[in-house]
Amino acid sequence: MAAGARLDRMTAPAILRVALPVPLPRLFDYLPPPGVDAALVAVGARLRVPFGQREVCGLVVGHGQADPGVELRAALDAPDAAPLLRGELLASLRWLAGYLHAPLGEVLAAALPAALRRGEPLPDMARYGWALNEAGRTALPAMRPGRPRALAELLQVLRDEDWLDAAAPGWRTPLRALRERELVARLETTGTGSGSVPRGSEPAPVSSAAFAPNAEQQIAIDAIRRAAGFAPFLLDGVTGSGKTEVYLQAIADCLARGRQALVLVPEIGLTPQALARFRTRLGVPVHALHSGLNDSERAATWLAAASGQARVIVGTRSAVFVPLPEAGLIVVDEEHDGSYKQFDGLRYHARDFAIVRGRALAVPVVLGSATPSLETLHNAQSGRYALLRLRQRAGDARPPQVRVLDVRKRPLHAGLSEEALAAIRAALDGGGQVLVFRNRRGYAPVLLCHDCGWSAHCPRCSTPERPTAMTVHAHGKRLQCHHCGHRRPSPPACPDCASLGLQPQGNGTERIEAELQARFEAVPVIRIDRGSTGQRDALQKHFDALGSRPGILIGTQMLAKGHDLGNLVLVVVVGIDEGLFSADFRSGEKLAQLLIQVAGRAGRADRPGTVLLQTHHPEHPLLQTLVGGGYHAFADGELALREAAGFPPFAHLALLRAEAKRAELPLQFLQLAKTLLEGSGIDLHGPLPAPMPRRAGYVRSQLLLAAPARAALHVALEGAVPALYAAPEARRVRWSLDMDPLDLY
Ligand code: ADP
Ligand code: ZN
Ligand code: ZN
């Protein structure tokens, strides 16, 4: 080695290469903070740095030597003694950044809980827990599990679990109440990592199921148990077939082997009910990660996973980013659910990333659904995923009877036919519960002037060619745009002709609620949608309040899953016809999944259920196929259509979106993108106005990229994306790249 080179390396200052959460596709070099040796700041540790006039927190991704003559700024602070992101997770995130063509700094930041992303010091990771003491155990039966709710829940956990992890989120306040009454004792745990069993309390044994797995469940459990290394499974089982039981057994196996399990569930599926089922059955603390936690709770849970202290993590989309140093199993429940895809910022798909992590971690990944996405079905059919099927409902439960109700020319009352109303009456008279499904919030979708034809449009989302109606809320008093949130009071008279004959047209959940309340005064009528059920616990409160009494639930797709209603005997589906004629290539798949999931709510226990599908298009092929042949008949037909049309999963798509207040700017930007991508051998469609051409005052356009092979798409984007970031046109628009878009909106 030349002496000069060695000298350079010794004299050139050591620098840190940092990924910053800024929308630029590059890394940044900094000198270490004053007085800190660069070599001691590990890859994967956070670094606070000056960036322009701001301070930002990034992650160290490499070390290097400063180039002579380049002046670098010094970092401000390196808060971590050990790396936060490392090993498999760091490698998988690097892969994800490449896949999404997103800046590494933005991807790494998205993987960290918000508190850590901001550069806050690590919370004190107390390794202790709480258990009921003698006095607590004696007092427990007499304690009223009434108010406050959190205290009642805490008592339940302590009773079921023996021990409460101090890092478990959400318990601080209720725990304080128990400590003040001296009903709990503090238990120290033994160190970190997998040995973190609290001293003086063995984990409760796995309580076995109240029933033996049936033959199909046993085959699935055995297949997952036998899997060595990475093994993707599709657990394709009708609603109520006992998929959760299969997960629980597989997780119990995983725990017995001393490994961690990660379970992803859709936002709406992560109910206290579901968590309680996991807790009681697994006999270990279950760490939940969802949007109801505050930042420090999320950070504590993430770190508990990183330390190996958390053995079972159940969480929504972003839980796919938890570190799993001792991973043994990943489960994705309801894998078809759209909530796994992030729709803004970093547009990742948690199910797809779960597969990537499963491969990197060499563990089985179980994707479960009654209505698998066509992508996943295709992967199973082509042999990439092992197919496990549960064809029947578990136990004695029978499948619901589905009937298509032709409502053409029939009188409708708030959208409900007299036949449906009679069926509701009969179900209630028999002591049963009824679910009325309508995927439209508000009172009515349109406010119309009966005299001149004026209707209320959103001023921020409409264009002359394509007006966007405002939804009527509050029994006609208020108008709201469901696209941009714009609200205003309903006008007292028509703005065009001053007529007082303004009429809400059509039916939303609010109006159906009013109609049913008037008709069925003797029973509770409960509306469940984003308007009535903002907070996450509100849903559970509604269900608790109803219990198993006869009553009616009205709701949007929030009702399609998550809660077991043992007494639900009738499901009425109202107004699905819009979905039958949507132009989006995935709309059929989404509607079929929704209908099957809603129908699956009926008759889950020992009572048979009935599903009535009201429609003006009883002969529509989607309904015919679904009712006659079930989801798989539909999916087979749909896959054939997609193949013929060259749509996913037989082609790969990316959607470049751009929006600005001035219409020509997005088009200029997309035209530049098109020029950069031309000649790369992929198909380019556009630039075109988006299906919704204006939203919240922004004019929206898009360029669709398609290729039969994924690799071609990536090669083309690798060439073009850096130039897009650098282009002056990019600074005048808001733009995003969506890999594998779920809709083309
Ligand atoms: P899924 O997750 O497929 O919708 P679940 O796992 O929730 O189904 O099971 C549906 C119901 O059937 C639950 O009440 C569950 O306790 C019950 N169950 C599951 N497996 C069996 C079995 N082998 N025998 C009897 N009942 C079962
Ligand atoms: Zn008018
Ligand atoms: Zn709007």
Side-chain angles (χ1 to χ4, degrees), residues 7-21:
L7 193 69
D8 269 1
R9 205 163 308 148
M10 283 166 64
T11 50
I15 54 134
L16 297 168
R17 194 141 292 152
V18 193
L20 294 178

Side-chain angles (χ1 to χ4, degrees), residues 211-214 217 237-247 277 333-334 390 393-397 564 604:
F211 33 73
N214 63 32
Q217 283 173 318
V238 299
T239 48
S241 59
K243 293 185 290 296
T244 311
E245 290 300 325
V246 173
Y247 306 148
R277 187 168 170 195
D333 188 26
E334 309 287 3
L390 308 178
R393 287 194 163 186
D396 300 325
D564 268 333
R604 280 176 67 102

Side-chain angles (χ1 to χ4, degrees), residues 373-699:
S373 64
L374 296 189
E375 274 78 2
T376 298
L377 269 181
H378 181 59
N379 279 327
Q381 287 168 1
S382 62
R384 275 191 289 274
Y385 297 174
L387 179 61
L388 305 169
R389 290 203 64 178
L390 308 178
R391 283 161 227 263
Q392 269 153 32
R393 287 194 163 186
D396 300 325
R398 271 164 293 154
Q401 294 284 318
V402 181
R403 270 182 52 213
V404 175
L405 241 176
D406 181 357
V407 295
R408 282 174 297 186
K409 297 188 191 156
R410 305 284 176 88
L412 297 177
H413 309 273
L416 292 158
S417 65
E418 285 170 0
E419 217 171 331
L421 288 166
I424 293 174
R425 164 118 21 228
L428 295 172
D429 287 349
Q433 296 173 333
V434 177
L435 189 160
V436 177
F437 174 80
R438 167 73 172 132
N439 214 10
R440 204 68 198 244
R441 288 188 296 129
Y443 187 76
V446 175
L447 184 68
L448 180 78
C449 172
H450 202 48
D451 288 336
C452 78
W454 173 90
S455 61
H457 296 147
C458 176
R460 307 172 69 214
C461 297
S462 297
T463 61
E465 308 79 49
R466 207 171 174 287
T468 299
M470 292 188 83
T471 304
V472 185
H473 279 259
H475 295 263
K477 290 204 249 336
R478 183 161 52 76
L479 296 172
Q480 189 179 332
C481 173
H482 285 187
H483 299 283
C484 73
H486 180 64
R487 291 163 169 235
R488 59 172 174 177
S490 293
C494 173
D496 275 7
C497 75
S499 157
L500 297 177
L502 293 179
Q503 291 179 2
Q505 297 287 306
N507 304 290
T509 47
E510 260 185 44
R511 192 175 209 169
I512 296 173
E513 176 189 27
E515 177 75 25
L516 291 173
Q517 266 167 350
R519 279 172 188 267
F520 301 100
E521 283 177 329
V523 300
V525 175
I526 301 167
R527 174 166 56 88
I528 303 218
D529 56 30
R530 243 181 328 125
S532 72
T533 316
Q535 296 140 344
R536 75 174 290 112
D537 287 345
L539 201 56
Q540 187 65 35
K541 284 194 186 120
H542 284 312
F543 284 99
D544 290 351
L546 184 60
S548 57
R549 286 182 295 155
I552 305 176
L553 296 167
I554 303 154
T556 56
Q557 58 189 347
M558 285 186 91
L559 273 183
K561 56 196 158 221
H563 295 77
D564 268 333
L565 289 160
N567 213 5
L568 185 65
V569 296
L570 175 67
V571 173
V572 181
V573 179
V574 191
I576 46 158
D577 290 355
E578 298 101 320
L580 292 173
F581 299 100
S582 161
D584 196 277
F585 78 95
R586 271 185 224 271
S587 66
E589 177 184 357
K590 285 188 202 152
L591 181 62
Q593 289 166 343
L594 196 55
L595 287 178
I596 297 285
Q597 296 284 348
V598 175
R601 312 302 305 149
R604 280 176 67 102
D606 44 355
R607 307 183 68 168
T610 304
V611 180
L612 297 180
L613 292 181
Q614 272 198 184
T615 177
H616 287 91
H617 302 278
E619 73 300 331
H620 192 284
L622 187 147
L623 294 181
Q624 290 295 328
T625 313
L626 215 49
V627 173
Y631 183 75
H632 286 83
F634 160 79
D636 289 345
E638 189 74 7
L639 275 169
L641 289 178
R642 295 260 189 104
E643 183 161 25
F647 273 119
F650 302 95
H652 301 279
L653 303 182
L655 191 62
L656 199 55
R657 296 184 176 91
E659 60 179 31
K661 297 223 161 123
R662 279 165 49 202
E664 70 276 14
L665 298 178
L667 288 174
Q668 278 166 12
F669 170 80
L670 294 172
Q671 196 54 55
L672 169 76
K674 187 170 188 174
T675 313
L676 289 168
L677 288 161
E678 250 157 13
S680 58
I682 61 172
D683 296 329
L684 300 169
H685 307 277
L688 287 167
M692 186 170 180
R694 187 161 173 261
R695 186 163 70 195
Y698 282 77
V699 180

